Every structure is written in C-alpha cells, then in structure tokens.
C-alpha cells in the first residue's frame, strides 16, 4: 500500500483537532463535566479535617432499665463516632426500615443481671439484638465493635463495685462448688479468686460511701491510640481530590475515545474511507493520523481536568514530574487506541456507542475511578489488574498524593503502553475500509 507519509499523518491528526474544537459549546461541556464530577467525589472522599465527620445514627432500645444497661447506653452516647438516641424496640425497627437510623441496639430484659453472671461463669449469656440497615453493613460492624468496649466497661464496673457485685461473686462461687468434674486444684484457685472479688467489692462499697473518690470504673482498653495518615511526607495532609480528579480524568479521556471511534464509523458509513483508499495513503498512515489526533484530544481533556484540580483544589505532583507526564502520555495513547478498537470491531454507530459507554463505565468503576479499589473484595481487586484504568488511576495516585518517585510511574506506564499496542494490533488486523 506504499510507505507511511509523515505529512499526511499530521494532516489527519490536525483535522481531528480542528473538528474537536469546532464545536465550542461541546468542548466546554466535555472539559467542564469531568471537573465538576471530580470536584464532587473529591469533596465526599477528601476527609478534610475542617469538616466534621458524619456520625452513625444509632438507636438504643433499653428493655432492661438496669444500672448496667444505663451505663452502656451512656457510654455509646459519649462516643465521637455515634449519634445515639433512645427508642422503643418497635419504633427503632421502623426507623431503621425507613432509613432514619443505620443501627438499633436492643438490650433485653435482665441484661445487666445475666451479663454479670456470665462474667464469672460459662452460663447462658444475654442476647443483645442488632437491627440494621443492610445497606450500612460497615456501620453495623463498627457499632458492634464499639459496643463491646462499653459493655465490658459497664458490666465489669457493676461486678467489681456495684451493689450486686458481691452477690454475683457468691452465686458464682456456689455454682462452682456444686459443679462436678472440675479439678480440685482449679476449683480452689477459682474460689480464692471469687473470695478476693467479694472482699474487693465490700471494701469499695464501704470506702465509696463516705469518700469523694468514685469506685471501680470498669475494665477499659489497656492502650491509647496514635493515628498518623501516611502520605507523601510527614505533615502533608491527604487530598482526596487527587484521586477523584485522576479517576474522572481517565474516564472522560475514554469518553473522548468513544467519540473518536464513532467518528471513524460514521466516516466509513458515509463512504469517506472508500475515497481515502483511492488516495495514495496507506492504512497505517490513516490510522496513525487518527490515533495521533485522538491522543492529542485526550491530552487536552486530561490536561484540563488535572490542571483544574491543581489550580482550584490543591492537587499536587508530590512524586516524579517526568513519571507523571509519562503516565499521562501512556494513558492518552491507550485511550486513542481504544477508540480505534471500537471502530474496528463495531458495525453500527448506535450499537457501538451504547456498548462503548457501558464498557467505559465498567472500566472506570473497576479501575477505582469512582471509589478506591481497596474497598473491593479481594477477588475483584485481582480481576481489576486486567483493566487498563486500574493501572492509570493507581499510577496517578502514586505520583500525586502518595509522593512516589519515577519508579511508581514506570510499571503502570509500561502496562498502559502494552494495552495500547494490543489494541493497535487488533485494529490493524480487523479494520475494514468499508462494509
């Protein structure tokens, strides 16, 4: 078919750019949309310290009305992550069903007494009910963990210093002495332990009656927590906008690739490619020019999106600038080859557009463009390694807020270039000049 013409290749690319910029309103929409969506997702996931974290709405249905259940409810209400309110059991169930609360905790009658007995023995334990919104499973697990802390504190405080502590110790001792099959040495050791608890409680009650100091406050977690968000450096806050602008930038680069592919299909349907075939141009020249034009349009889209993130939302390249630019170039080449792949495999513009939009949305979702991929199940995280968007988003995360050097961009760029080469091979193999 002759040799590739560099002049013709750049002419075709220039024509693609001219057509892209000819619709000024369309260009504005294509550039503004990813910025707006990225800003929204960035605001939701930014975790800025200036914004108060939303508390989980929890209802407590206390059917026990004991000192232990009251202390437990008070402990839950004091937690910074929860917004606790009292409610009846049926009212709590209805509130959860309507989405007014994420979780409801039901403390059964006799909870305090049964929990105190179970503290010293292996007898039956009271059953705490959890009513939860199935769309808030994460909050349910968090509330269950928090309740464990305050339940241990409330029950142990009652056992070791409350009015029923000595009685519970005596009951547990009688049960222990009447239980057959226990090694005598172990029984004697446990009896001495319960005698010590009984004596401790008696002294606490006598001392606390006339003293200003409080009694035993209950068992607490034996450690403090120091949290440190690890980003590109000490004292550098995490910027959630960096991830959202990377994800939306890649998504709309692929949307631009859809327009490239649909444009090629429309030209083929209109007979443009038949006329080009008669010209002294090779297929490689024509497809190369289209790919170059598509890559340049993708670069405009990605550059505008990430540029807006840097200008207005504090997104910074904390790692390697050469790696960042290499990643952007590889992403744009991958997108352009993806657009031509759609043209090579598609038959009609309508069917191809619908399937292509679905494919891009799935690729963006699986690639972590909407929410970080670490939130996915393990099997899905492994699956997403076969999706180019995962490499693009992870690579941009690495060189922006993670602050990784050039090595953080090298592997993702090579993988993206590999996808571009694979798509290009299929295009050359399956592309048709005409139907």
């Amino acid at each position: 078919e002759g040799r590739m013409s560099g002049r013709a290749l750049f002419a075709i690319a220039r024509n693609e750019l001219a057509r892209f910029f000819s619709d000024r309103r369309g260009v504005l929409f294509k550039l503004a949309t990813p910025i707006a969506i990225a800003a929204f997702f960035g605001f939701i996931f930014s975790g800025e310290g200036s914004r108060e974290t939303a508390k989980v709405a929890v209802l407590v249905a206390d059917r026990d009305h004991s000192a232990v259940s009251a202390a437990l409810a008070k402990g839950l209400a004091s937690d910074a992550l929860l917004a606790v309110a009292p409610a009846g059991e049926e009212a709590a169930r209805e509130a959860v069903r309507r989405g007014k609360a994420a979780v409801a905790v039901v403390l059964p009658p006799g909870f305090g007494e049964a929990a105190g007995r179970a503290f010293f023995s292996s007898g039956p334990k009271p059953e705490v009910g959890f009513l939860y919104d199935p769309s808030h499973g994460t909050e349910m697990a968090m509330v269950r963990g928090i309740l464990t802390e305050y339940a241990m504190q409330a029950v142990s405080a009652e056992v070791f210093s409350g009015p029923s502590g000595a009685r519970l110790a005596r009951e547990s001792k009688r049960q222990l002495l009447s239980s057959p099959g226990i090694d005598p040495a172990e029984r004697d050791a446990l009896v001495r332990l319960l005698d010590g608890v009984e004596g401790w409680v008696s002294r606490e009650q006598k001392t606390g009656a006339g003293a200003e100091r409080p009694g035993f406050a209950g068992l607490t977690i034996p450690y403090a927590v120091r949290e440190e968000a690890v980003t590109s450096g000490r004292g550098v806050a995490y910027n959630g906008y960096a991830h959202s602008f990377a994800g939306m930038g890649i998504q709309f680069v692929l949307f631009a690739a859809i327009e490239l592919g649909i444009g090629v299909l429309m030209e083929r349907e209109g007979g443009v490619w038949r006329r080009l075939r008669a010209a002294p141009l090779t297929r490689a020249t024509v497809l190369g020019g289209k790919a170059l034009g598509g890559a340049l349009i993708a670069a405009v889209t990605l550059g505008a999106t990430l540029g807006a993130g840097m200008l207005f939302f504090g997104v910074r390249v904390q790692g390697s600038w050469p790696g960042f630019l290499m990643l952007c170039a590889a992403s744009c080449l991958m997108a352009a080859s993806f657009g031509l792949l759609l043209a090579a495999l598609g038959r009609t513009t309508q069917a191809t557009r619908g399937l292509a939009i679905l494919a891009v949305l799935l690729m963006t979702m699986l690639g972590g463009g909407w929410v970080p991929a670490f939130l996915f199940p393990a099997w899905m995280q492994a699956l997403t390694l076969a999706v180019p968007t995962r490499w693009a988003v992870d690579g941009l995360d690495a060189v922006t807020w993670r602050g990784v050097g050039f090595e953080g961009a090298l592997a993702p760029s090579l993988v993206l270039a590999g996808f571009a080469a694979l798509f290009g091979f299929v295009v050359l193999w399956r592309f048709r000049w005409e139907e």
Side-chain angles (χ1 to χ4, degrees):
E1 292 184 345
R3 295 181 301 174
M4 178 183 291
S5 169
R7 181 177 297 178
L9 185 146
F10 285 107
I12 294 172
R14 186 171 61 250
N15 181 66
E16 290 295 315
L17 284 172
R19 183 164 55 182
F20 174 76
F21 285 108
S22 63
D23 182 3
R24 295 184 179 180
R25 289 186 178 180
V27 170
L28 181 62
F29 175 78
K30 292 172 184 176
L31 298 184
T33 302
I35 295 171
I37 297 177
F40 171 76
F41 277 105
F43 177 76
I44 295 298
F45 294 108
S46 63
E48 296 173 354
S50 59
R51 292 192 299 113
E52 182 181 355
T53 303
K55 296 184 177 182
V56 179
V58 178
L59 298 176
V60 177
D62 184 1
R63 300 180 58 201
D64 184 32
H65 304 291
S66 67
V68 174
S69 62
L72 175 54
K74 183 178 179 181
L76 290 174
S78 69
D79 196 276
L81 298 177
L82 307 180
V84 177
E89 182 175 0
E90 290 306 315
R93 182 184 299 275
E94 184 65 13
V96 172
R97 187 181 71 83
R98 292 178 175 273
K100 303 297 184 182
V103 182
V105 179
V106 181
L107 302 177
F111 167 78
E113 187 77 12
R117 290 195 180 96
F119 193 85
F120 286 127
S121 66
S122 58
K125 300 178 181 179
E127 187 177 80
V128 176
F130 285 91
L131 309 174
Y132 70 98
D133 185 333
S135 66
H136 292 269
T138 302
E139 289 90 333
M140 162 64 191
M142 183 181 72
V143 171
R144 188 168 59 183
I146 293 175
L147 182 135
T148 301
E149 174 189 354
Y150 293 112
M152 282 297 298
Q153 187 171 335
V155 174
S156 62
E158 176 67 18
V159 166
F160 286 109
S161 63
S164 60
R167 177 175 53 82
L168 291 172
R170 287 193 297 270
E171 289 180 4
S172 298
K173 188 165 54 175
R174 284 197 301 269
Q175 181 183 1
L176 181 64
L177 291 171
S178 62
S179 299
I182 299 179
D183 183 84
E186 292 182 0
R187 179 187 289 113
D188 291 342
L190 291 173
V191 168
R192 288 195 297 272
L193 172 63
L194 291 171
D195 285 338
V197 170
E198 187 176 355
W200 164 276
V201 173
S202 298
R203 287 192 300 273
E204 282 292 300
Q205 291 176 346
K206 290 178 181 179
T207 306
E212 296 182 356
R213 72 177 187 86
F216 180 70
L219 300 177
T220 58
I221 296 177
Y223 58 85
V225 176
R226 178 178 59 84
E227 297 181 352
E228 178 183 351
V230 180
T231 59
S232 60
R234 290 185 178 274
V236 179
Y238 168 63
N239 186 348
Y241 290 101
H243 178 82
S244 64
F245 272 85
M248 288 303 105
I250 296 300
Q251 174 176 310
F252 279 83
V253 158
L254 291 173
F255 278 151
I258 293 177
E259 295 302 315
L260 171 65
I262 295 300
V264 172
L265 281 176
M266 294 178 65
E267 289 175 345
R268 188 173 66 192
E269 291 174 356
V272 174
W273 287 88
R274 190 184 304 113
R275 293 192 294 272
L276 286 174
R277 190 177 185 182
L281 297 174
T282 65
R283 181 169 58 175
T285 299
V286 176
L287 293 176
K290 291 287 185 180
L292 179 59
L296 293 174
I297 292 173
V300 171
T301 303
L302 187 59
T305 304
L306 295 178
M310 294 176 183
L311 188 60
F312 300 110
F313 298 97
V315 177
R316 295 292 180 266
V317 178
Q318 305 285 0
S320 168
W321 265 102
F324 171 78
L325 296 175
M326 180 175 65
L327 264 170
C328 291
S331 299
C332 293
L333 287 174
M334 180 276 295
S337 62
F338 174 74
L340 291 178
L341 180 69
L342 297 175
L345 300 180
R347 292 191 174 275
T348 65
T349 56
Q350 289 298 103
T352 301
R353 187 188 297 275
L355 289 175
I357 291 174
L358 175 62
V360 167
L361 294 177
L362 286 174
M363 288 167 64
T364 306
M365 179 189 69
L366 293 175
W370 295 349
V371 295
F374 68 81
L375 297 175
F376 299 159
W379 65 268
M380 186 178 291
Q381 292 187 40
L383 177 66
T384 58
L385 293 176
V387 180
T389 48
R390 168 71 186 277
W391 294 90
V393 173
D394 282 0
L396 289 172
D397 277 352
V399 295
T400 52
W401 69 267
R402 292 189 185 277
V404 183
F406 185 80
E407 68 278 6
L410 182 58
S413 297
L414 291 176
V415 172
L416 290 170
F419 274 107
L422 175 63
F423 295 159
F425 173 78
V426 176
V427 169
L428 290 173
W429 173 40
R430 293 293 304 274
F431 186 80
R432 303 178 302 278
W433 288 96
E434 56 186 317
E435 291 293 342

